[in-house]
Amino acid sequence: MSDSGFAQTPQPPYYAVMFTSQRNDQDPQGYAATADRMLELARQQPGYLGVESVRDANGFGITISYWESQDAISQWRAHGEHRVAQEQGKLDWYEHFEARVAVVERAWGKR
């Protein structure tokens, strides 16, 4: 689940949802297909700004999605197809996960 490289975010403030997870080895094809579908759906959500995602060879991953508002995050979290994927992740794909939400107040970098 990744856009191509860095997310193109606006000037702050905006919100970041940080999702860290440890994958198990169950159903890698089903997981990949669902992750791709969730990215496709997220891109269609009002308030979506972008995503950055990595996973190492041991299955530990970090995905940060960026949003215009807390309301946009809540709408995405409650999206029906996303809810189904969340439950499947809990039951089938993740040994452990954490989700955190933060306000991005400052941002800088080299482009």
Side-chain angles (χ1 to χ4, degrees):
M1 176 184 201
S2 68
D3 277 344
S4 56
F6 292 93
Q8 299 298 310
T9 53
Q11 289 297 311
Y14 52 88
Y15 292 83
V17 177
M18 297 157 282
F19 183 76
T20 53
S21 62
Q22 180 64 53
R23 280 273 291 121
N24 60 32
D25 59 0
Q26 294 182 39
D27 188 23
Q29 292 81 17
Y31 177 81
T34 300
D36 288 345
R37 175 66 179 150
M38 291 304 102
L39 178 58
E40 177 186 339
L41 282 178
R43 287 178 174 150
Q44 297 170 18
Q45 300 310 299
Y48 171 83
L49 299 174
V51 69
E52 297 164 340
S53 188
V54 296
R55 187 166 302 280
D56 72 14
N58 295 319
F60 181 78
I62 300 171
T63 298
I64 305 171
S65 60
Y66 300 99
W67 300 87
E68 288 179 354
S69 67
Q70 288 189 32
D71 185 56
I73 294 167
S74 295
Q75 293 295 319
W76 171 235
R77 189 168 184 237
H79 185 283
E81 198 171 339
H82 186 211
R83 299 276 308 168
V84 170
Q86 290 170 48
E87 288 305 312
Q88 189 165 17
K90 289 176 190 175
L91 294 172
D92 297 332
W93 294 322
Y94 298 121
E95 291 179 18
H96 182 119
F97 69 87
E98 300 285 339
R100 299 167 178 97
V101 178
V103 177
V104 177
E105 295 178 350
R106 291 179 292 175
W108 61 91
K110 178 180 177 184
R111 293 180 189 224

